[in-house]
Amino acid sequence: MPTTRQILIDPVTRIEGHAKISIHLDDNGEVREARFHVTEFRGFERFCEGRPFWEMPGITARICGICPVSHLLASAKAGDALLSVTIPPAAEKLRRLMNLGQIVQSHALSFFHLSAPDLLLGFDSDPAKRNVFGLMAADPTLARAGIRLRQFGQDIIAVLGGSKIHPAWAVPGGVRSAPTAAQRAEIAQRLPEARATVLDVLRRFKVLLDTHHDEVATFGNFPSLFLGLVGPHGEWEHYDGRLRVVDSGGAIVVDQVDPSRYRDIIAEAVEPWSYLKMPYYRARGYPAGMYRVGPLARLNICTRIGTLLADAELGEMRQRAGGIATSSFYYHYARLVEILAALERISLLLDDPDLDSPRLRAEAGVNQFEGIGVSEAPRGTLFHHYTVDAYGMIQSVNLIIATGHNNLAMNRTVAQIARHYVKGDRISEGALNRVEAGIRAYDPCLSCSTHAAGMMPLVVTLVAADGAVLDEVRR
Amino acid sequence: MGKPLNSCLVLGSGFSQFSDAPMLAHRLLIIGYGNDLRGDDAAGRAAAERLAALPMPDTQVLSVHQLMPEHAALLAQAHMAIFIDADSSGCQVVRVTHLTPAATWSAIDHASAPEGLLALAAAVYGRSPNGWLIHIPAIYCDLGAPLSPQAEDGVTEAVEIVRHLIASCR
C-alpha cells in the first residue's frame, strides 16, 4: 500500500499569529503538496452580531495588534455605506493620511524586523544571528534607520488617532479630529529622513536581487491572478477606488468593479485543515481562480503610482521582473516601493488646504441595511461587509482579510520552495528557513487576537498518498 | 476618583513618546499587554490600568494590545521595567520572573516573552532596564468574555506584587 510521509514545521516563526506548515511527501520522497494551516479559530464575525454598527470600527480594530488601522478604516467605510453619506473631503484625506502611516509602519516592520535578517545576512547564515540583533551587529546604521522609519509611521497614526494601537478615530461618517498645524509640520519635518532611508534600502535590495536568482525563481514564482483597488485611470490606490484583476501576462481580466459587488467576482472556499477561508476568482473556479493581493498585486495591477520617485522605482521593478512580477520574492521589493509612494503621498497631503476644514463628519442615521467597506491594508485588500436592522444592530458580518486572499498562493509557494530545497525526509536549516521565508514574503497576519492561542486545538494529520488519513493527533 | 497623582497611563500618544534620545534616569515603566476583547487575555492590561490610578512618582504605565519594537525606545529610558501579561500555561498562581535580555526576535510574536525587547533596547540604544515579568493566570480567553474571578484575583495580586517590587527596588 502506498504511504506518504509528512514534515511539519510548527510554528512558523516571525509571522504575526500562529500557524503550522505540513509538507506531504510521496512514495519517492518527493514533495507532493504543502499546506499552510491556520489553527486558531477567530470567530469575530459571529461575535459582532447584535452590536450597534457604530461600535464596529472600535471593535474590529481590536482584531489585531499589528494592523488595527486597516480594520478601522474598512469598518468606518462600511458604516459610511450604512449611513448612505459621502464623508467630508477633509475626513477622507485624513483617513488616507492614516492609512499611509499604516503602510509605512507595517511594511517597515515586515522588511526590517522580519525579513531583512534573511535577506541581508543570508538564508544560510547562523540562525542564532539571523535576526534583528544580528542585523544590528552587522549594520547598526541600517537597523536603527529601519526602526525609526517604523516609528515614523506609528507616530503619524498616533498624532491622528491619539492611540497607536487601536485608534477609534475613524467613525461612520468621517473622523473625530484633525491634526494641528504644528503636528503636520512635525510630520513633514521627518519626511526627508524617512525618504532617505527607504531609498538607501531600495538601492541595497536591488544589489541583493542580483544575487538571489534561486530565491526569485522558487519563492512563489508561478502564474496567478492579481487583485486590488485602482483609481479611475488605473492608478495605484490604497484607500478607495474600484477592483481590478490582472493576469500574469499583464492582461486586465476585469476592471472598475464596484467593491460593493465583490461577490460577483470573489467566492470563498473552505478546507477542513485550515480555519482560514480560501477566496478565489469566481469566474475561474476553485482553485484555478487563485489570486494574490498586497503590495506586489497593487504594483502589478496599477498603471502608475502617481508620484515622481515611486513611479521611477516602479518602472525599474517592472524592467527587472520583465513586466508583471510573478515571483513572490518581489513582495519585499514592492513593499519598499510602496513605502516610498506612501511618503510622497503623505508629503502632498500635508500641504492640502482641505485639512484645515473643521467639517470632519457627516451626520445621518441608518439609511441602508447593507454596507460594504473596502480598503487596501498593507497586506492586501480588506473587505468589511455588514447587514443591520432598522436600529443599526448588526445582523451579519463577513470579513475577507488579506491573508485569506493569499491563502492559495501561500500554499503553492510553500510547495514550490519545498520541492526545490527539501530533499528526502530531512530539512536542512537553510531549507527550513526558506520555507518559512516564503510564507513571510506575504507578511501574513493571522490575528494576534490572543496569546492564549494554545487553548485552541492543534491538529496534526498524517495523510496517505491515496488520501486516506493514517493518523490524526489532537491536543 | 480623582486623576492619578504622579503616574501616567498611556494608551498611546504623539511624538515625544518615541524620542530617539533615551536616558531619563530613575524612571519606572510598567507595560500591561493583551487583547481586551479576549477575556482573561486582558488581565495584564487590567492590572496596568489599576496601577495607573495609584500615586507612583516618576512612573509611566502603558496598556497595550501587544509589545512592539518601538517599546524598546521607552525601555531604554527606564531604570526599571515591569511587564504584566496573561499566562495560559495552566499555572494557577501569579508568578514573577526576573528577565534577562535575550537576543532573539521572538518577542515580536505575541506568544513570546519581552526579553527580546530588552535586548533590542540594549542593542539599539545601548541601555536596557532591570526587567521583571508578572504572569497572571488566564483561564477563559473567549471573545467578549469578562475577566474570570480567578483572573480578577490575579490582577489584584499582581498590583500588590508590583507595589512591593517597586518598594524593594527603590
Side-chain angles (χ1 to χ4, degrees):
Chain A
M1 178 179 173
T3 58
T4 187
R5 285 169 291 171
Q6 182 178 217
I7 297 170
L8 284 171
I9 301 173
D10 181 15
V12 179
T13 59
R14 282 186 280 145
I15 62 170
E16 303 303 328
H18 303 81
K20 69 173 180 176
I21 294 168
S22 61
I23 300 168
H24 301 254
L25 308 179
D26 63 17
D27 291 338
N28 301 319
E30 300 295 325
V31 173
R32 182 167 58 84
E33 68 171 338
R35 292 172 178 176
F36 176 56
H37 306 250
V38 177
T39 56
E40 182 183 357
F41 177 62
R42 296 278 318 288
F44 262 96
E45 294 167 347
R46 182 68 59 86
F47 167 70
C48 294
E49 291 173 7
R51 294 173 179 273
F53 80 93
W54 298 99
E55 293 180 0
M56 290 299 284
I59 291 173
T60 57
R62 286 138 80 189
I63 287 174
C64 172
I66 201 68
C67 46
V69 168
S70 307
H71 287 289
L72 181 79
L73 296 181
S75 182
K77 289 183 74 177
D80 300 341
L82 294 170
L83 301 178
S84 267
V85 297
T86 299
I87 68 171
E92 182 194 326
K93 289 172 181 175
L94 288 167
R95 286 184 184 177
R96 284 181 176 275
L97 186 57
M98 180 176 271
N99 205 32
L100 292 166
Q102 164 83 344
I103 288 171
V104 170
Q105 69 85 8
S106 180
H107 284 358
L109 178 72
S110 172
F111 187 85
F112 288 96
H113 293 272
L114 305 182
S115 294
D118 292 333
L119 300 172
L120 299 175
L121 302 177
F123 289 98
D124 297 306
S125 60
D126 181 357
K129 296 178 180 173
R130 198 179 53 232
N131 50 42
V132 70
F133 306 102
L135 188 63
M136 180 62 64
D139 195 334
T141 303
L142 176 71
R144 283 196 185 93
I147 289 168
R148 285 180 59 82
L149 183 63
R150 177 177 153 80
Q151 285 177 4
F152 177 60
Q154 287 285 70
D155 283 349
I156 291 172
I157 297 167
V159 164
L160 289 169
S163 167
K164 293 180 312 304
I165 309 303
H166 296 135
W169 165 80
V171 291
V175 300
R176 292 185 190 277
S177 60
T180 64
Q183 286 172 318
R184 282 156 57 185
E186 175 76 20
I187 294 171
Q189 186 186 351
R190 293 170 63 183
L191 277 168
E193 179 193 333
R195 197 160 41 229
T197 295
V198 73
L199 286 170
D200 176 46
V201 177
L202 267 165
R203 180 184 56 76
R204 292 171 187 240
F205 185 85
K206 284 181 262 188
V207 172
L208 184 147
L209 203 56
D210 292 334
T211 60
H212 283 66
H213 299 296
D214 263 10
E215 285 77 9
V216 171
T218 58
F219 275 42
N221 188 19
F222 46 75
S224 79
L225 300 172
F226 296 92
L227 178 145
L229 293 171
V230 293
H233 305 292
E235 63 271 30
W236 183 76
E237 249 300 343
H238 64 94
Y239 168 78
D240 216 342
R242 289 176 173 245
L243 294 168
R244 171 181 276 186
V245 177
V246 167
D247 70 18
S248 297
I252 295 174
V253 176
V254 64
D255 198 15
Q256 297 296 322
V257 175
D258 183 336
S260 67
R261 289 179 43 231
Y262 76 95
R263 281 186 161 162
D264 290 352
I265 62 169
I266 297 172
E268 297 176 272
V270 293
E271 293 284 1
W273 43 268
S274 178
Y275 285 120
L276 194 59
K277 291 180 284 191
M278 303 206 179
Y280 59 96
Y281 180 59
R282 186 183 289 277
R284 296 203 177 172
Y286 177 79
M290 172 181 64
Y291 60 85
R292 285 177 266 190
V293 299
L296 182 65
R298 286 191 290 263
L299 294 195
N300 274 339
I301 65 171
C302 74
T303 51
R304 64 190 179 91
I305 291 175
T307 55
L308 189 66
L309 295 175
D311 267 328
E313 293 294 344
L314 176 62
E316 183 173 349
M317 179 178 140
R318 286 179 172 169
Q319 190 175 31
R320 286 172 173 272
I324 295 291
T326 56
S327 171
S328 289
F329 193 78
Y330 271 79
Y331 266 100
H332 303 298
Y333 197 166
R335 242 168 238 126
L336 296 175
V337 175
E338 282 206 327
I339 293 175
L340 185 59
L343 295 174
E344 290 184 292
R345 290 278 182 103
I346 289 167
S347 178
L348 293 171
L349 274 172
L350 291 174
D351 292 333
D352 194 310
D354 278 348
L355 265 54
D356 296 321
S357 170
R359 293 175 179 80
L360 299 175
R361 190 171 177 180
E363 303 285 351
V366 175
N367 288 307
Q368 299 280 352
F369 297 127
E370 183 172 20
I372 296 170
V374 183
S375 70
E376 287 288 343
R379 292 160 186 81
T381 319
L382 173 64
F383 293 79
H384 278 221
H385 183 174
Y386 309 153
T387 60
V388 298
D389 65 13
Y391 304 101
M393 308 303 281
I394 294 285
Q395 301 298 295
S396 68
V397 171
N398 187 40
L399 308 180
I400 307 181
I401 61 170
T403 301
H405 291 293
N406 283 330
N407 205 357
L408 285 169
M410 286 192 288
N411 287 314
R412 181 87 174 265
T413 296
V414 172
Q416 186 178 48
I417 293 171
R419 284 191 190 103
H420 194 78
Y421 291 101
V422 175
K423 307 297 179 191
D425 58 0
R426 301 184 69 84
I427 303 181
S428 67
E429 174 62 27
L432 169 66
N433 196 49
R434 282 176 174 85
V435 167
E436 292 185 328
I439 290 292
R440 278 201 293 273
Y442 294 86
D443 193 24
C445 182
L446 302 172
S447 87
C448 288
S449 55
T450 170
H451 51 296
M455 296 181 69
M456 301 306 297
L458 175 68
V459 180
V460 180
T461 310
L462 186 64
V463 185
D466 62 0
V469 175
L470 300 176
D471 193 15
E472 184 172 275
V473 180
R474 191 178 289 262
R475 65 178 172 84
Chain B
M1 286 293 290
K3 290 182 178 178
L5 296 179
N6 295 307
S7 58
C8 115
L9 174 66
V10 179
L11 295 169
S13 63
F15 296 115
S16 59
Q17 188 180 168
F18 296 117
S19 153
D20 204 27
M23 299 305 225
L24 295 180
H26 307 300
R27 184 164 195 168
L28 170 64
L29 176 65
I30 298 171
I31 307 179
Y33 57 100
N35 187 333
D36 59 6
L37 284 181
R38 301 294 295 253
D40 291 351
D41 199 53
R45 298 185 69 164
E49 284 156 25
R50 284 197 206 172
L51 285 161
L54 300 176
M56 292 187 293
D58 204 15
T59 299
Q60 184 175 23
V61 184
L62 300 180
S63 170
V64 298
H65 188 110
Q66 67 186 56
L67 299 177
M68 309 288 260
E70 53 270 25
H71 289 135
L74 289 175
L75 289 168
Q77 298 177 55
H79 178 70
M80 176 178 173
I82 301 174
F83 299 87
I84 314 174
D85 190 12
D87 175 9
S88 61
S89 69
C91 180
Q92 299 293 308
V93 298
V94 176
R95 294 182 294 126
V96 183
T97 306
H98 185 243
L99 297 172
T100 303
T104 71
W105 195 230
S106 58
I108 193 59
D109 287 338
H110 204 182
S112 303
E115 291 92 336
L117 277 181
L118 293 174
L120 187 65
V124 178
Y125 303 104
R127 189 173 184 281
S128 155
N130 186 18
W132 299 85
L133 174 61
I134 314 291
H135 312 257
I136 301 175
I139 312 299
Y140 301 109
C141 295
D142 295 339
L143 272 171
L147 286 182
S148 67
Q150 296 94 325
E152 287 278 10
D153 290 345
V155 168
T156 301
E157 188 177 345
V159 169
E160 285 308 305
I161 288 172
V162 170
R163 295 179 67 175
H164 287 293
L165 199 56
I166 295 169
S168 65
C169 291
R170 274 187 165 151

